[in-house]
Amino acid sequence: MEFAGSAMNDLCISPEHGRRGRLGRRKIIYDDTKEFKSKNLHAERRRRQKLSDRLLALRSMVPIITNMNKATIIEDAITYIQEQQESVKLLSDQLIEMDESLDETVKTVSDHEIDPAEEMKQCGIMEDIQVTYVDETKLWIKIILEKKRGRFTRLIEAIAYLGLELTDINVTSYKGAILVSSCVEGTYGDTLTVQQTKELLVEIIRSI
Amino acid sequence: MEFAGSAMNDLCISPEHGRRGRLGRRKIIYDDTKEFKSKNLHAERRRRQKLSDRLLALRSMVPIITNMNKATIIEDAITYIQEQQESVKLLSDQLIEMDESLDETVKTVSDHEIDPAEEMKQCGIMEDIQVTYVDETKLWIKIILEKKRGRFTRLIEAIAYLGLELTDINVTSYKGAILVSSCVEGTYGDTLTVQQTKELLVEIIRSI
DNA sequence: CGGCACACGTGAATC
DNA sequence: TGATTCACGTGTGCC
């Protein structure tokens, strides 16, 4: 059983053994007039060259190459792929987060904006309090309450007393109900929580 | 000049030439008791195994593998890296776009918050009070005043203190100014005069 | 000089 | 069977 190469084929390639430097820098001069033991020699040559070319292409794709070694090229490619996977994950997470928050605000906004008359008719004279997050210091509140004399003024006073500044406010009275939609912010830039503010408003309205 | 392998070392490895199947499925049985012509045989074995391992690791990183060939693995890795690069570019572009639009809105919003009196003057907005007759008990008032913290609340309090009930009110803040348009009526159905009410409002606003 | 990285031609296994 | 793929041991250039 013969094995791996033979001295017979010494002259088939250039004296320098076809090698000039490292990966991708060799100059091969084949002498195809000679005969070989294996018939798949040409195929093997093509195969080797193809693999070398792919490796070269891979090297050109990866920005950070620590070494020109075949193994190192693949290693760097692996770490690069990992970095890219993390980048993709991070970016898409951020994007999803942004999308969700945007959807949330749009949804709450459109919820608030749909057809005041319709909503009031549906709710009739049902009192309602909704608090929507705008940013850390700003909240948007919508209040529907039964119209009573001086009740709106007392509501404004109470809100101011709680340290909330009304930046924009819109008040409508209709069919015995008052609809207040307003933007409030903490007097000294305090962080406001939706739940806490809503509870405070419920307490206020119950007392007036 | 001898070249590439020799029959001398046939017995150094298992009869099946250490090969069982394709990439990553070989079972190598080395016989290190034999001597070899080349002294770097072990090193070469290690090198080959390392390269195979890297290639295997690369294969595990790439989700779509069309073939198990060495060349194909690298090829698929290249296309995967390209796809990932495009994904990263697309995602970061979207993120930048979103960020910019968000910055824009934040900027325009915060633009409103800077410099109340100055901005009003620049935009040619003057403080103004207008009172319009609706009927004996109802008046429509329009007030433009410089935005100051808590000023609106104090205005509402003062109006209530004067015995005026706010039935409908609309407040908008823009360019450092507050625009209040509201319908007021006397608390006990009193007759209201335009001139008198306007003077009262002027007095109130001057004091707050 | 020795270690390292590479390409080489080959036998065998797989399809 | 013929084509293809693989691992092998080796020769050689380079550091």
Side-chain angles (χ1 to χ4, degrees):
Chain A
M1 181 167 77
E2 200 153 350
F3 178 68
S6 152
M8 241 188 87
N9 303 316
D10 282 346
L11 299 177
C12 71
I13 54 172
S14 66
E16 323 97 34
H17 196 251
R19 195 172 179 290
R20 286 209 321 113
R22 300 173 91 78
L23 185 64
R25 300 184 189 176
R26 60 203 54 85
K27 186 168 71 180
I28 303 175
I29 304 170
Y30 293 112
D31 182 4
D32 291 340
T33 59
K34 295 281 180 182
E35 288 199 349
F36 295 88
K37 290 187 175 182
S38 287
K39 291 182 178 180
N40 67 337
L41 187 137
H42 287 80
E44 179 63 16
R45 281 178 186 168
R46 266 185 279 113
R47 174 184 164 269
R48 269 201 300 266
Q49 189 178 346
K50 190 164 81 174
L51 207 145
S52 275
D53 289 347
R54 303 290 183 219
L55 217 56
L56 218 68
L58 182 66
R59 179 170 70 97
S60 72
M61 300 297 303
V62 180
I64 300 173
I65 299 291
T66 56
N67 247 343
M68 286 297 212
N69 300 341
K70 282 181 169 180
T72 316
I73 288 173
I74 300 180
E75 200 174 349
D76 292 339
I78 290 173
T79 60
Y80 180 57
I81 286 179
Q82 284 175 338
E83 288 175 6
Q84 274 191 324
Q85 283 176 345
E86 288 176 11
S87 294
V88 169
K89 186 171 162 46
L90 197 74
L91 287 173
S92 47
D93 278 359
Q94 285 184 13
L95 214 59
I96 287 171
E97 196 176 330
M98 270 200 168
D99 258 4
E100 279 177 352
S101 72
L102 202 65
D103 276 359
E104 192 69 18
T105 49
V106 167
K107 194 183 173 191
T108 51
V109 165
S110 62
D111 269 356
H112 284 260
E113 300 256 335
I114 52 151
D115 215 2
E118 178 90 11
E119 198 171 37
M120 283 183 76
K121 199 193 288 180
Q122 276 186 0
C123 298
I125 208 159
M126 293 284 288
E127 300 204 329
D128 185 28
I129 299 173
Q130 291 186 20
V131 180
T132 307
Y133 176 85
V134 176
D135 60 34
E136 287 86 6
T137 61
K138 280 186 183 173
L139 295 176
W140 188 31
I141 62 175
K142 189 188 84 170
I143 301 172
I144 297 176
L145 66 161
E146 190 184 330
K147 189 174 183 179
K148 291 176 184 171
R149 188 159 284 277
R151 204 178 188 195
F152 168 67
T153 307
R154 288 201 292 276
L155 176 63
I156 299 299
E157 285 175 8
I159 289 176
Y161 178 72
L162 289 177
L164 299 177
E165 170 82 4
L166 295 162
T167 56
D168 288 83
I169 181 166
N170 193 306
V171 183
T172 311
S173 65
Y174 179 70
K175 297 231 180 235
I178 303 178
L179 167 64
V180 183
S181 66
S182 171
C183 199
V184 302
E185 60 183 294
T187 313
Y188 305 107
D190 299 337
T191 300
L192 300 176
T193 69
V194 171
Q195 192 57 34
Q196 191 180 345
T197 306
K198 180 167 182 176
E199 286 170 2
L200 284 173
L201 287 174
V202 169
E203 200 63 33
I204 288 170
I205 290 172
R206 186 177 301 159
S207 67
I208 60 179
Chain B
M1 179 165 76
E2 200 154 349
F3 178 69
S6 153
M8 240 187 87
N9 301 316
D10 281 348
L11 300 176
C12 70
I13 54 175
S14 67
E16 324 95 37
H17 197 249
R19 197 172 179 289
R20 286 207 322 114
R22 300 176 88 77
L23 186 64
R25 298 186 192 175
R26 61 203 56 85
K27 185 169 73 178
I28 303 175
I29 305 169
Y30 293 113
D31 182 4
D32 292 339
T33 58
K34 294 283 180 183
E35 288 199 349
F36 297 89
K37 289 187 175 183
S38 288
K39 292 183 178 180
N40 66 338
L41 186 136
H42 286 80
E44 179 62 16
R45 280 178 186 167
R46 266 185 281 115
R47 174 183 165 272
R48 271 201 299 267
Q49 190 179 345
K50 191 164 80 175
L51 207 145
S52 276
D53 290 346
R54 303 293 184 214
L55 217 55
L56 219 68
L58 182 66
R59 180 171 70 96
S60 71
M61 299 296 303
V62 180
I64 301 172
I65 299 291
T66 56
N67 246 342
M68 285 298 212
N69 299 342
K70 281 180 170 181
T72 316
I73 289 172
I74 299 181
E75 201 173 348
D76 292 340
I78 290 173
T79 60
Y80 180 55
I81 286 179
Q82 284 175 339
E83 288 176 6
Q84 274 191 323
Q85 283 175 346
E86 287 175 13
S87 294
V88 169
K89 185 169 162 51
L90 196 75
L91 287 172
S92 47
D93 278 0
Q94 285 185 15
L95 214 59
I96 286 172
E97 196 177 328
M98 270 201 167
D99 257 4
E100 280 176 353
S101 71
L102 203 66
D103 277 358
E104 192 70 19
T105 49
V106 168
K107 195 182 173 189
T108 50
V109 166
S110 62
D111 268 355
H112 286 257
E113 303 259 337
I114 53 154
D115 224 3
E118 185 79 13
E119 198 172 34
M120 265 183 76
K121 202 188 291 178
Q122 277 186 2
C123 298
I125 301 174
M126 302 293 289
E127 293 206 334
D128 186 28
I129 299 173
Q130 290 183 21
V131 181
T132 308
Y133 177 84
V134 177
D135 62 31
E136 288 86 4
T137 62
K138 282 187 184 173
L139 294 176
W140 187 34
I141 62 175
K142 190 189 85 172
I143 302 173
I144 297 176
L145 67 159
E146 187 186 326
K147 188 176 185 178
K148 288 178 186 170
R149 191 160 277 278
R151 205 177 188 196
F152 168 68
T153 307
R154 288 200 292 276
L155 175 64
I156 299 298
E157 286 176 9
I159 289 175
Y161 179 72
L162 290 177
L164 300 176
E165 170 80 4
L166 295 161
T167 56
D168 288 83
I169 182 168
N170 193 306
V171 183
T172 310
S173 68
Y174 180 67
K175 301 259 182 204
I178 303 178
L179 166 63
V180 183
S181 65
S182 172
C183 201
V184 300
E185 57 182 296
T187 313
Y188 303 109
D190 299 338
T191 300
L192 301 175
T193 69
V194 171
Q195 192 57 35
Q196 189 182 345
T197 305
K198 180 167 181 176
E199 286 171 3
L200 283 174
L201 287 174
V202 169
E203 199 64 31
I204 288 169
I205 290 170
R206 188 177 300 158
S207 68
I208 60 178

